[in-house]
Amino acid sequence: MTETLTIALAQLNPTVGDFQGNLERLRGARAEAAAQGADLLLTSELYICGYPPEDLILKPMFVDSIRIAVDAFAGETADGGPAVLLGTPWRGDDGRVYNAMVLIEDGKVTGERYKADLPNYGVFDEKRVFAAGDMPGPIAFKGVRIGIPICEDIWTPDVVECIAETGGEILLVPNGSPFEAGKTDQRQQLGIARVIESGLPLVYLNQLGGQDELVFDGASFVLNADRTLAAQLPAWQEKVVVTHWRNGPNGWVCAPTETVEVETKDAALYQALICGVRDYVNKNGFKGVLIGMSGGIDSALSAAVAVDALGPDRVHCVMMPSPYTSRESLEDAAEASRLLGVRLDEINIGPAMSAFEEMLAPFFEGTSRDITEENIQSRSRGMALMALSNKFGYMVLSTGNKSEMSVGYATLYGDMCGGYNVLKDVYKMSVFALCRWRNGNRPAGALGPDGAVMPERIITKPPSAELRPDQKDEDSLPPYPVLDAILEELIENETPIAVIVDKGYDPETVLKVWRLLDRAEYKRRQAPPGVKVTLKAFGRDRRYPLTNAFLGAYIASPAAKAAE
């Protein structure tokens, strides 16, 4: 058995379904690892097809095509370079398809291990498409017994315990773990728990990049058996890092190697938004994005993220004033666009509003102006943006935030138009925080400018849809600090109404927010996808019926009743 081992970690950004493109990236990583004398290269979970492949796994020709690609790649490893632990769907001898890691060396596949614990919650539906593997023992490589628990396999103790009891010496953990705020610390604490229980060192290798609504931050790491951090890879960057291991009296130890500080809080959240926009636009082949620039904070932040992700030449902003648009909104939209270096055009929607009102006048005779006319404004803007998108091939980036999406403070076929929504899972108070952060910081790798990217007035003025004279958001909604706090309790925490009230919130306000939240489900079902950054995003994380007669009632908690 060898007493030293050199393991390369390939933190890469695959594209779902692009086997050949993903393999080409892997070839580059393998060449880089070979140049540094690596014995083995580890990829992330399901790397060859990208994660998550969803129902593509149910297509036999998809799985068969992957097998052909893997076998062809395996032949390339007869060159004497590093072996590869490759994440791939794999049809077993029993005919079922597994979420697998295969060991490829000396020109062929020499071993395979299957994921045992298939997640079936939140955004995960693996039990729908994969068969669960048996509890795995270690796999031998150069005489070293390597355990390969796959992602969810380390979220409970059982799989790692089985590996340790059957002689495992090192844990190599491939992952497809999506970003959420605060998840970096959660992963490391999870790794530490498995290290303590098993007494084995652990490599945590995570996928990088955006896939539809999910973003993967990388941030891979290595823990020795004494829980020391031997390596910390950066978040949001492709990276190949070679680690050096030696077997000693206390087992295998990874020599200290690259450790970097991983972004947290607003910096991490902003990077997640950049990643989501960049990869959705680029992987789907769009020329760039169109943004309806209102002079408000949501469109300003959306434009800043888009410029940081794509560069100013691929972002086209359009101001669409109505008779109710304020002079300061026109000025703020122009200044934000100037600071970002983007093209700003203006389309007056007044003629469209007049045309619709004239067309509908015979039917509206005898009625008062109300939200109907306000929505005509919003839909006129949506029509203009979609026409520009169709004509010039730019994708419309919608700008609504999670607070608005939660309570339905948005117009179907109007401001909800678009192919992607960068702020879909960002609460309004976080929008304010991110704007302040970006005005004082330029994210690593950003394609946008240094310095402020929007005038201070955009951040400080009261939010308004400007669909009627002197309109303010708080005319229709609770103040955003209150609204966001209640929404987080209802959505992320599923807190009962009585418990929220016991925290000091007005019962009628809580009930109003709950009812607005439930009644707006039909709008959210028709909304574009957007970046998931919280524990529970709208979509697969939160599945509520459209037809829903349970609108709730305030039932006082025992504590409240006792206080009476």
Side-chain angles (χ1 to χ4, degrees):
M1 182 181 75
T2 183
E3 295 300 312
T4 62
L5 200 59
T6 305
I7 303 173
L9 314 182
Q11 181 175 286
L12 302 177
N13 184 352
T15 297
V16 165
D18 186 10
F19 317 142
Q20 297 307 322
N22 296 339
L23 283 175
E24 195 57 35
R25 287 178 116 88
L26 182 58
R27 290 185 184 101
R30 184 169 179 265
E32 187 176 341
Q36 299 180 61
D39 300 305
L40 177 65
L41 182 141
L42 175 66
T43 77
S44 55
E45 179 181 12
L46 295 179
Y47 171 78
I48 191 171
C49 66
Y51 186 88
E54 303 187 67
D55 281 9
L56 285 170
I57 298 298
L58 301 178
K59 289 183 175 291
M61 68 178 178
F62 182 79
V63 178
D64 293 342
S65 297
I66 290 173
R67 181 59 182 261
I68 292 169
V70 171
D71 287 343
F73 174 73
E76 301 174 24
T77 64
D79 60 2
V84 177
L85 267 173
L86 176 63
T88 180
W90 199 252
R91 184 174 284 110
D93 294 337
D94 58 4
R96 298 193 297 172
V97 179
Y98 296 90
N99 181 336
M101 295 295 293
V102 295
L103 178 61
I104 302 172
E105 56 181 333
D106 300 326
K108 57 185 181 295
V109 174
T110 62
E112 57 203 56
R113 287 295 182 271
Y114 302 149
K115 188 172 184 177
D117 192 353
L118 301 177
N120 205 51
Y121 57 86
V123 299
F124 304 106
D125 282 314
E126 290 193 31
K127 289 182 180 179
R128 173 183 173 87
V129 297
F130 289 114
D134 295 331
M135 294 293 280
I139 196 168
F141 176 71
K142 290 187 177 295
V144 183
R145 297 178 64 79
I146 295 176
I148 314 170
I150 301 172
C151 199
E152 191 77 11
D153 286 342
I154 70 164
W155 284 74
T156 54
D158 296 351
V159 172
V160 171
E161 180 182 358
C162 178
I163 290 169
E165 289 177 349
T166 50
E169 298 174 85
I170 300 173
L171 298 172
L172 301 185
V173 189
N175 292 269
S177 177
F179 170 83
E180 291 170 10
K183 201 168 185 180
T184 300
D185 287 341
Q186 183 183 17
R187 294 179 191 134
Q188 289 205 355
Q189 292 305 311
L190 187 69
I192 288 170
R194 300 293 87 84
V195 166
I196 291 172
E197 293 159 2
S198 65
L200 301 178
L202 179 146
V203 174
Y204 186 103
L205 179 68
N206 195 24
Q207 179 172 302
L208 181 72
Q211 171 57 30
D212 295 344
E213 297 190 286
L214 303 181
V215 288
F216 300 86
D217 52 325
S220 308
F221 59 89
V222 179
L223 294 169
N224 275 317
D226 63 0
R227 290 168 280 167
T228 57
L229 186 67
Q232 175 63 67
L233 277 62
W236 313 113
Q237 296 178 38
E238 285 195 303
K239 193 78 172 178
V240 177
V241 171
V242 173
T243 60
H244 300 275
W245 297 73
R246 181 171 296 277
N247 193 16
N250 296 317
W252 285 92
V253 177
C254 179
T257 185
E258 177 174 340
T259 55
V260 300
E261 185 175 351
V262 175
E263 296 96 334
T264 59
K265 299 181 180 177
D266 292 337
L269 180 54
Y270 197 94
Q271 286 281 10
L273 301 180
I274 290 176
C275 178
V277 171
R278 181 195 63 222
D279 280 2
Y280 191 81
V281 171
N282 290 340
K283 290 180 180 182
N284 286 290
F286 291 104
K287 294 179 181 178
V289 296
L290 273 166
I291 298 174
M293 203 71 164
S294 68
I297 194 167
D298 296 320
S299 62
L301 179 58
S302 298
V305 172
V307 169
D308 285 333
L310 305 171
D313 292 342
R314 298 178 67 193
V315 178
H316 179 188
C317 293
V318 185
M319 180 68 178
M320 295 167 286
S322 79
Y324 306 114
T325 301
S326 67
R327 171 54 52 184
E328 70 176 24
S329 290
L330 291 167
E331 294 170 352
D332 290 344
E335 179 62 7
S337 299
R338 185 191 70 80
L339 290 169
L340 289 168
V342 299
R343 172 183 172 183
L344 176 67
D345 290 321
E346 183 173 311
I347 298 174
N348 183 358
I349 65 166
M353 293 166 58
S354 298
F356 276 113
E357 290 184 12
E358 181 180 351
M359 180 175 67
L360 294 168
F363 303 95
F364 289 179
E365 186 176 357
T367 66
S368 301
R369 297 180 68 87
D370 56 17
I371 195 173
T372 307
E373 286 77 12
E374 295 180 18
N375 286 344
I376 285 174
Q377 294 176 60
S378 181
R379 289 176 178 135
S380 297
R381 293 185 174 111
M383 177 73 77
L385 285 173
M386 292 309 300
L388 291 172
S389 175
N390 292 161
K391 184 64 72 175
F392 300 110
Y394 277 51
M395 182 193 77
V396 175
L397 191 69
S398 65
T399 61
N401 60 69
K402 188 172 186 176
S403 305
E404 295 170 351
M405 293 299 103
S406 296
V407 295
Y409 195 63
T411 305
L412 276 173
Y413 326 121
D415 55 323
M416 289 176 66
C417 278
Y420 203 70
N421 181 352
V422 65
L423 302 181
K424 184 177 182 178
D425 200 30
V426 181
Y427 285 114
K428 188 74 168 191
M429 296 309 295
S430 292
V431 169
F432 285 112
L434 288 171
C435 289
R436 294 189 183 96
W437 181 87
R438 180 57 181 93
N439 264 359
N441 301 272
R442 184 173 184 264
L447 301 179
D450 289 316
V453 294
M454 67 187 72
E456 182 67 17
R457 186 168 64 182
I458 281 182
I459 303 174
T460 57
K461 67 184 178 183
S464 170
E466 293 192 330
L467 297 176
R468 62 176 182 268
D470 302 317
Q471 182 183 21
K472 298 290 183 290
D473 287 5
E474 288 188 11
D475 297 341
S476 305
L477 301 173
Y480 280 114
V482 174
L483 176 63
D484 285 1
I486 293 172
L487 287 172
E488 188 168 353
E489 293 288 356
L490 291 171
I491 298 168
E492 273 79 11
N493 303 331
E494 293 287 0
T495 306
I497 287 178
V499 176
I500 301 174
V501 171
D502 285 349
K503 293 182 178 184
Y505 295 99
D506 172 64
E508 288 304 315
T509 300
V510 177
L511 275 173
K512 176 184 176 181
V513 172
W514 183 17
R515 288 168 178 163
L516 288 171
L517 175 66
D518 280 358
R519 287 171 178 165
E521 188 65 32
Y522 77 100
K523 288 188 177 183
R524 292 189 292 271
R525 290 281 186 97
Q526 300 178 68
V531 190
K532 169 183 162 64
V533 294
T534 67
L535 177 65
K536 191 175 289 186
F538 293 124
R540 287 186 297 175
D541 268 340
R542 186 180 187 274
R543 309 179 194 188
Y544 273 66
L546 300 181
T547 304
N548 175 15
F550 180 68
L551 296 178
Y554 171 54
I555 303 173
S557 69
K561 290 179 178 177
E564 295 173 356

